[in-house]
Amino acid sequence: MLTDKEQKKEFLKQTREHPEKYYAVAVLKKQGFHRAMCTNCGKYFWTVHEDQTKCGDSSCQGKVTM
């Protein structure tokens, strides 16, 4: 049996390879979103800003929120 961390890692791999299976991709695209990969952490994210290169995580944006 996989640990929680191993299960999460496997799930993330599957969502990266087949996002349409886990997300409403057609709806997101219809609403003007596109999928991008963060240049800082390598995670995928959805955005309406064509020039956005970083996800919204504070560590990637260089901001600390409290």
Side-chain angles (χ1 to χ4, degrees):
M1 179 174 237
L2 297 175
T3 66
D4 290 346
K5 287 185 179 187
E6 291 170 332
Q7 288 178 5
K8 182 177 179 180
K9 185 176 180 179
E10 180 60 30
F11 181 72
L12 288 174
K13 179 183 172 190
Q14 291 176 22
T15 60
R16 286 181 181 159
E17 293 174 359
H18 306 286
E20 66 284 345
K21 188 174 177 182
Y22 300 95
Y23 303 106
V25 173
V27 174
L28 289 167
K29 287 183 176 183
K30 186 176 178 181
Q31 294 296 320
F33 286 84
H34 76 278
R35 192 169 181 237
M37 185 189 308
C38 181
T39 57
N40 194 48
C41 68
K43 293 180 182 176
Y44 285 96
F45 63 97
W46 291 94
T47 182
V48 294
H49 305 287
E50 292 289 330
D51 59 344
Q52 185 174 349
T53 60
K54 295 181 183 175
C55 69
D57 192 290
S58 61
S59 63
C60 293
Q61 295 292 334
K63 302 174 186 173
V64 178
T65 58
M66 304 235 175

